[in-house]
Amino acid sequence: MSDTPRMPDDLERFPGAGSLSWRYLGQWRLLTTIGRAIVLETAHPVVGAGVVEFSTYRRHPWRRVEQTLLSLQRLLYQDRADREREAARLRRLHGHINGVDPDGRTYSALDPEAQAWVHLTVFDALVLMCELGGDPLDDERQAELYAEWLLVGLQLGVPASEMPGTVPEFRVWFDEIVREKLVAGHGVEQLLDALGRLPAPAQLSFVPEAVWSAGCAVLGTAIRTAVATTLPPDYRERLGERGRVPFGARTVVSLACRTAAVASDLLPTKWVYMPLAATYIAAKREAGRGLRRFGPRDRSGDPATQLADLFVRILDQTGDGVLSWPDLAALARVFSDRLDLAAVDEEVMYAAFHAWWDELRATVDANGDGVVDADEYRVLAEAAPGAAMAALMVRVAAAVDRDGDGRIDQADYARLLGPDSVDTHRIGWLHAMDADGDGVVTVEEFAEALRESVLGRARSDTLEYVLGRA
C-alpha cells in the first residue's frame, strides 16, 4: 500500500459537481452491479459475522440495498454539513455492531480493514458498471475516480493507511482479499436468499399472494443469477452451486447493462438518477441561475434595469414609489416572522433596519425630503456599502443561522424560505451563495450575497422569493 499521507485537509477537495463520482454513483444503473458489492462486503468474515447476528434480511430483504444506495447519495451529493452528519450517523450505527462469531472470534463493524473493504467494493462496482455498460473507464479516469473515492472514504472515517493509494495497488489488494479472506458463510447465504424475495409494492396490493410469490420465484432466480454473473470467478467457485452461472447468462446480463447505459445517455436527469442524486444535480444547475452577478463582461442583465426592478418589487413594500422607513420596517417584519424570532431578537432586527434607514437618509437623500427615490437609490450601485447596511446583512444572515455554527445549512435556509419551497430550487439557491465553492455557505457568504443583491449588483432568487411574495 502507498505510504502517501492523506490528511483531513484533503476533504477540502471533496468531489463535487462535474466529478466522475457525481456522474456515476447516483445512476439507477448502479443496480446492475451493487449486488456484487454487497455480496463481496458480506463475504468478508468481519462483515459477515455482523450480518448473521444483526441482519434484518429475513424480515426486510431489500432494506440493505435501499439503505446502502440512500446513504451513498447522502455522502456524495449533499452539502458538507449534511455529509458530515451522515458520516457521523454511520459511525454511530456501526459502533453498535460488534460481538463474538460462532468460532469464538471477536468482530466489530469498525474494524479498519473491513471498513476499507466495504467502502472500496463500491469503487469496484462503479468500474464494473461502466465496463458492462460498454463505456469502460480508461486508466486515467479510473485513477481520477479512485482518488475521489478515497476522499469519500476519509469523510466516512476510513483510515487512510487501510486504503491502497493507487488503482494498481487496489487491484492487488482486492484480489488478495478475494483469494485469501472471503468466505461463503451463512451471511452470504442469507443475502442471496433475500435477493429472491421481493416485497409487493403498495401499488400492487391487489395482486393475489400466490401469483406474486410465483412471479417472485422466477424473478428472484434471475436476480441471483445476474448477481453471480458479476462476481469474481474465484469467489464464484467458492459459492459452489449458488455461484453457478447458466449458459447464456453472461450475454443476457451484458445486454441488460448496455441497454441501461444507452438509456442513461438518452433519458432526462430525473429518470437516469436516483431521487436524492437527481435533486442535487438539478440544484447545482439551478445554482448557476440562483445568484446572477452583473459584471462588465456579463451581459445576462443590465445593472440599471436590475436595480430599478429591485426597487419596485422588493424594496418599495408600500408601493408608493419611494423608499421610506415603513418600507424597511416591512422588510424587518418579514424576516422576523419567517425566522420566528424571539422578542429580543426581533427588536435587534428592527434596530438594524432602522440604522440602515438613517444611513440611507444621510448619504443618498440628496434633496432632503425624508424619502429615497429610485434615482437617489441608484447611487448605491456605484458606492461601497455603508457600515450600517453591511451590519444589517450580517444581522439577517446570523438570524438565519439558528444554531450559531457560522454556516447556513439547508435546515436554516428552509426555515427562511418556508415549507412550501421547492427542494431543488432551495438547494440550488443556497449553493449559489457558496462563493468559494467549498460546499459550505458561511454567514459571511450569505451576508455578502444579500448585500450584492440589495445593491443591484446581482439578482437573488432568495430575496425575490422571500420579499417579493411578502
Side-chain angles (χ1 to χ4, degrees):
M1 293 187 189
S2 170
D3 292 326
T4 303
R6 301 181 198 88
M7 304 303 291
D9 288 346
D10 289 339
L11 292 177
E12 298 298 328
R13 298 181 286 106
F14 197 86
S19 67
L20 291 177
S21 298
W22 264 58
R23 176 179 177 182
Y24 291 115
L25 182 76
Q27 293 189 12
W28 278 114
R29 65 178 177 134
L30 183 57
L31 289 171
T32 60
T33 56
I34 195 65
R36 165 189 167 108
I38 293 178
V39 169
L40 293 180
E41 292 169 9
T42 308
H44 191 286
V46 172
V47 180
V51 165
V52 169
E53 185 169 355
F54 291 91
S55 170
T56 61
Y57 285 144
R58 286 181 292 273
R59 189 71 175 269
H60 305 285
W62 283 84
R63 179 181 289 175
R64 173 82 178 276
V65 176
E66 179 183 358
Q67 291 180 339
T68 296
L69 293 175
L70 180 58
S71 187
L72 286 171
Q73 292 174 80
R74 287 172 175 167
L75 285 169
L76 185 65
Y77 294 99
Q78 290 189 139
D79 294 334
R80 181 173 171 179
D82 295 302
R83 294 198 310 263
E84 291 171 354
R85 277 194 286 268
E86 177 64 12
R89 184 190 71 84
L90 289 174
R91 288 193 291 271
R92 291 195 305 271
L93 183 153
H94 290 127
H96 296 291
I97 301 178
N98 53 72
V100 179
D101 69 16
D103 295 325
R105 294 171 297 195
T106 60
Y107 68 87
S108 168
L110 296 180
D111 175 84
E113 181 189 85
Q115 285 184 292
W117 176 250
V118 168
H119 180 64
L120 293 180
T121 53
V122 178
F123 165 77
D124 168 74
L126 289 169
V127 172
L128 182 62
M129 176 190 80
C130 293
E131 180 182 328
L132 294 177
D135 56 337
L137 300 175
D138 58 25
D139 291 345
E140 183 178 351
R141 290 200 298 164
Q142 281 196 44
E144 182 180 348
L145 178 62
Y146 188 69
E148 294 171 2
W149 206 240
L150 291 180
L151 292 176
V152 179
L154 290 178
Q155 176 78 80
L156 268 171
V158 180
S161 60
E162 293 294 330
M163 296 186 289
T166 66
V167 174
E169 290 176 338
F170 163 74
R171 290 301 172 196
V172 172
W173 176 80
F174 181 89
D175 291 342
E176 180 181 324
I177 289 185
V178 170
R179 184 175 60 253
E180 298 181 7
K181 293 197 173 183
L182 299 193
V183 297
H186 189 47
V188 174
E189 292 179 1
Q190 285 184 0
L191 172 59
L192 292 174
D193 287 342
L195 292 176
R197 298 195 304 274
L198 301 173
Q203 296 89 334
L204 298 180
S205 58
F206 61 88
V207 177
E209 183 175 348
V211 175
W212 181 258
S213 298
C216 281
V218 176
L219 185 57
T221 299
I223 292 174
R224 283 193 295 266
T225 299
V227 171
T229 301
T230 66
L231 295 174
D234 286 351
Y235 186 69
R236 214 165 47 231
E237 290 181 11
R238 207 166 304 158
L239 285 175
E241 183 63 24
R242 287 179 177 270
R244 187 175 66 84
V245 177
F247 176 78
R250 291 186 181 83
T251 301
V252 174
V253 170
S254 178
L255 179 61
C257 291
R258 286 176 179 264
T259 300
V262 171
S264 295
D265 289 336
L266 298 177
L267 295 174
T269 298
K270 65 180 180 180
W271 293 346
V272 172
Y273 289 88
M274 298 171 222
L276 187 63
T279 296
Y280 276 84
I281 290 171
K284 273 296 183 183
R285 293 172 183 164
E286 183 77 24
R289 301 185 291 270
L291 184 65
R292 300 178 282 280
R293 298 184 181 275
F294 299 109
R297 297 183 181 178
D298 182 1
R299 302 187 181 279
S300 60
D302 174 62
T305 301
Q306 165 65 18
L307 192 59
D309 185 56
L310 169 79
F311 191 92
V312 171
R313 296 196 311 106
I314 304 298
L315 299 178
D316 180 16
Q317 292 281 307
T318 59
D320 59 1
V322 294
L323 192 59
S324 59
W325 167 238
D327 295 306
L328 270 62
L331 300 181
R333 183 170 62 252
V334 172
F335 280 115
S336 297
D337 288 347
R338 280 188 169 270
L339 296 173
D340 192 24
L341 297 183
V344 61
D345 296 321
E346 183 175 310
E347 289 299 322
V348 172
M349 181 69 73
Y350 272 83
F353 269 96
H354 203 283
W356 183 37
W357 171 239
D358 289 339
E359 184 178 74
L360 281 175
R361 285 191 303 168
T363 56
V364 300
D365 181 15
N367 59 12
D369 61 355
V371 296
V372 175
D373 60 32
D375 289 334
E376 291 173 329
Y377 191 81
R378 193 171 294 119
V379 174
L380 289 179
E382 306 298 330
M389 178 192 183
L392 168 63
M393 298 308 153
V394 172
R395 166 55 52 192
V396 172
V400 175
D401 175 26
R402 188 163 198 169
D403 57 7
D405 64 354
R407 57 192 182 186
I408 310 297
D409 60 25
Q410 290 173 40
D412 296 326
Y413 194 52
R415 191 166 60 97
L416 172 63
L417 266 61
D420 58 335
S421 57
V422 179
D423 284 346
T424 298
H425 292 170
R426 182 171 69 229
I427 297 167
W429 298 344
L430 184 59
H431 282 176
M433 300 183 197
D434 180 14
D436 58 9
D438 67 351
V440 176
V441 177
T442 64
V443 166
E444 291 76 14
E445 287 174 326
F446 196 91
E448 181 189 4
L450 294 181
R451 184 171 63 247
E452 291 295 290
S453 302
V454 171
L455 289 172
R457 297 169 182 170
R459 179 169 179 171
S460 170
D461 285 313
T462 301
L463 283 182
E464 293 185 15
Y465 188 88
V466 173
L467 300 177
R469 294 156 48 98

